[in-house]
Amino acid sequence: MSLEQKKRVCYFYDANVGNYHYGSGHPMKPHRIRMCHGLVMNYGLYKKMEIYRAKPANKWEMTQFHTDDYIDFLSRVTPENMDQFPKEQAKFNVGDDCPVFEGLFEYCGLSAGGSMEGAARLNRGLCDIAINWAGGLHHAKKAEASGFCYVNDIVLGILELLRYYSRVLYIDIDVHHGDGVEEAFYTTDRVMTCSFHKYGEFFPGTGELKDIGAGRGKYYSVNFPLRDGIDDESYKSVFEPVVTKVMEWYQPSAVVLQCGGDSLSGDKLGCFNLSMKGHANCVEFVKKFNVPTLVLGGGGYTMRNVARAWAYETGVVVGQKIGPDMPYNDYYEYFGPDYKLDVRPSNMENMNTEDYLEKIKEHVFSNLSRTAFAPSVQMQGMCHWH
């Protein structure tokens, strides 16, 4: 640790985030971000970074990606008046997985504000790594909510980064495919997306190996489809070589890392078998490349485990190993019966054979080698997103 340069870290947190509720029985619980923050504070990690409350994103900022009528709808709909918007709810996919709840628009503003401000600080050279655990909502589309996500803070953050950086690499370790981000940048070479996810009869149903981008973006989308039960060792055996190859080939000027916690063992909706340390290894590995990086949250539905992993990963980012003992904190009772900072793998079977992973990896590598090296001057015309 002592050899690497000290990273300047900006961390975004809004104390209101834990007050939003998707509704009873809904798996997405913003409270997990408050639990994570409690650990971050009680482990003393705040001493190693600058903590900010971002200005919530406004409608105009959200429409840098989303359509005006979609954002206008989100800003107006409430549980009280939602019956007046039946057509819009159907059109924008708001209702079932993505319910209308009290404060929905403010919640979207908090999530997006942290990611946009994190990006803006990276742009201005005010930090080396920015963290927004309330971000990472990768399923939201231009004019549609999807998979518990309404406003795509990641796309908004990347658009901000593109004002200063010529190439942005997006890496996604959520158990679900990062479809909204991939779709937004599918036809450009200025953003490369790289998603490792469960594929096959699983939400959102996209992200197969042959989805590689189109037009100018051909070969700039990388998908690594996985099967149930992947463990730390298998994950590392594909994540590290693929990210290394992508880094060498694409040479991004900035990286966005989505750290969805539903790839952890024991997740209520996920089906992977990563330990906390196996998940955190991805953060550690990406950090080693010393590229300006935006670190975001995402899925994660077993609250105590998501909070543990993101707190531990905050430690990884600032270069401080924390745990396994858990300090007393406001949410201590959630972490029983062991009260330790750890998520252990279960004995579930790993359906990803070495042979399967090797084949996919070779395929990904051959796609990468099929095209000229990193994009060059021909992109200059696209550099001005203003």
Side-chain angles (χ1 to χ4, degrees):
M1 271 300 185
S2 52
L3 286 172
E4 75 168 331
Q5 56 187 104
K6 281 299 296 154
K7 297 275 196 279
R8 294 164 305 148
V9 180
C10 289
Y11 167 100
F12 291 88
Y13 177 72
D14 190 304
N16 290 328
V17 74
N19 298 331
Y20 297 98
H21 293 283
Y22 278 64
S24 71
H26 196 290
M28 176 62 107
K29 302 195 182 337
H31 178 61
R32 67 208 171 119
I33 297 153
R34 188 158 52 187
M35 289 167 61
C36 167
H37 184 70
L39 293 176
V40 164
M41 297 309 280
N42 280 289
Y43 275 115
L45 297 177
Y46 63 88
K47 298 173 189 150
K48 303 246 170 129
M49 53 194 186
E50 291 177 21
I51 297 192
Y52 296 98
R53 179 181 183 183
K55 179 181 75 63
N58 60 33
K59 284 166 80 164
W60 182 82
E61 286 164 331
M62 292 177 184
T63 57
Q64 300 305 295
F65 170 55
H66 296 287
T67 61
D68 291 0
D69 60 341
Y70 174 52
I71 293 302
D72 187 56
F73 164 70
L74 288 181
S75 72
R76 294 194 312 171
V77 72
T78 67
E80 288 75 50
N81 70 15
M82 60 191 270
D83 297 343
Q84 296 160 34
F85 297 99
K87 278 219 265 310
E88 289 84 352
Q89 286 187 72
K91 179 181 173 188
F92 299 128
N93 191 35
V94 169
D96 299 335
D97 276 359
C98 303
V100 175
F101 58 85
E102 203 56 60
L104 168 59
F105 189 71
E106 294 94 86
Y107 167 74
C108 294
L110 297 192
S111 165
S115 298
M116 293 181 82
E117 202 166 311
R121 285 186 172 270
L122 289 165
N123 283 346
R124 300 205 296 276
L126 297 174
C127 60
D128 305 303
I129 305 180
I131 301 175
N132 176 30
W133 294 127
L137 304 179
H138 58 176
H139 297 304
K141 309 288 200 302
K142 192 179 177 74
E144 189 185 328
S146 172
F148 318 156
C149 307
Y150 305 82
V151 168
N152 201 314
D153 65 283
I154 306 169
V155 172
L156 294 170
I158 290 172
L159 290 173
E160 183 64 37
L161 291 169
L162 289 173
R163 292 159 46 143
Y164 285 76
Y165 295 114
S166 53
R167 290 185 298 283
V168 176
L169 170 63
Y170 172 70
I171 304 171
D172 188 317
I173 64 169
D174 194 289
V175 75
H176 301 98
H177 177 231
D179 58 339
V181 185
E182 178 183 281
E183 187 178 297
F185 300 112
Y186 206 62
T187 58
T188 175
D189 54 8
R190 291 202 54 205
V191 179
M192 180 158 203
T193 60
C194 179
S195 178
F196 299 81
H197 50 270
K198 153 86 170 157
Y199 180 76
E201 303 196 344
F202 197 68
F203 184 85
T206 49
E208 53 186 318
L209 191 53
K210 68 175 177 49
D211 295 335
I212 54 172
R216 263 183 141 144
K218 192 172 185 190
Y219 302 115
Y220 292 90
S221 291
V222 174
N223 283 299
F224 206 111
L226 296 163
R227 307 275 176 255
D228 287 14
I230 193 162
D231 58 23
D232 293 355
E233 197 187 344
S234 293
Y235 204 94
K236 184 185 170 92
S237 78
V238 296
F239 183 83
E240 294 190 358
V242 168
V243 168
T244 300
K245 185 74 102 188
V246 160
M247 283 284 197
E248 283 168 3
W249 181 82
Y250 191 57
Q251 301 194 349
S253 15
V255 173
V256 177
L257 175 60
Q258 195 269 21
C259 302
D262 46 12
S263 42
L264 290 160
S265 182
D267 188 78
K268 285 194 172 89
L269 299 184
C271 48
F272 285 178
N273 198 17
L274 296 183
S275 74
M276 179 184 77
K277 300 229 165 72
H279 195 271
N281 176 65
C282 300
V283 180
E284 185 115 49
F285 191 73
V286 169
K287 183 188 172 195
K288 288 194 182 108
F289 289 90
N290 293 320
V291 177
T293 302
L294 179 59
V295 174
L296 305 173
Y301 306 99
T302 300
M303 285 198 294
R304 59 186 184 275
N305 290 348
V306 185
R308 283 171 161 127
W310 289 349
Y312 186 79
E313 285 160 2
T314 305
V316 165
V317 168
V318 301
Q320 185 175 320
K321 204 163 175 358
I322 58 170
D325 292 326
M326 169 119 5
Y328 189 73
N329 62 83
D330 287 349
Y331 307 105
Y332 194 67
E333 70 281 4
Y334 282 88
F335 300 106
D338 56 334
Y339 305 101
K340 295 281 189 233
L341 188 77
D342 200 13
V343 178
R344 297 174 186 277
S346 73
N347 60 2
M348 79 185 288
E349 190 184 348
N350 183 358
M351 307 306 284
N352 301 270
T353 62
E354 249 176 85
D355 187 44
Y356 170 76
L357 294 173
E358 203 50 47
K359 279 203 172 69
I360 304 271
K361 196 169 72 182
E362 279 168 24
H363 203 103
V364 164
F365 284 178
S366 95
N367 280 343
L368 285 174
S369 64
R370 244 186 249 177
T371 157
F373 178 68
S376 58
V377 203
Q378 98 260 6
M379 316 179 316
Q380 290 310 314
M382 277 191 70
C383 287
H384 309 291
W385 286 81
H386 305 306

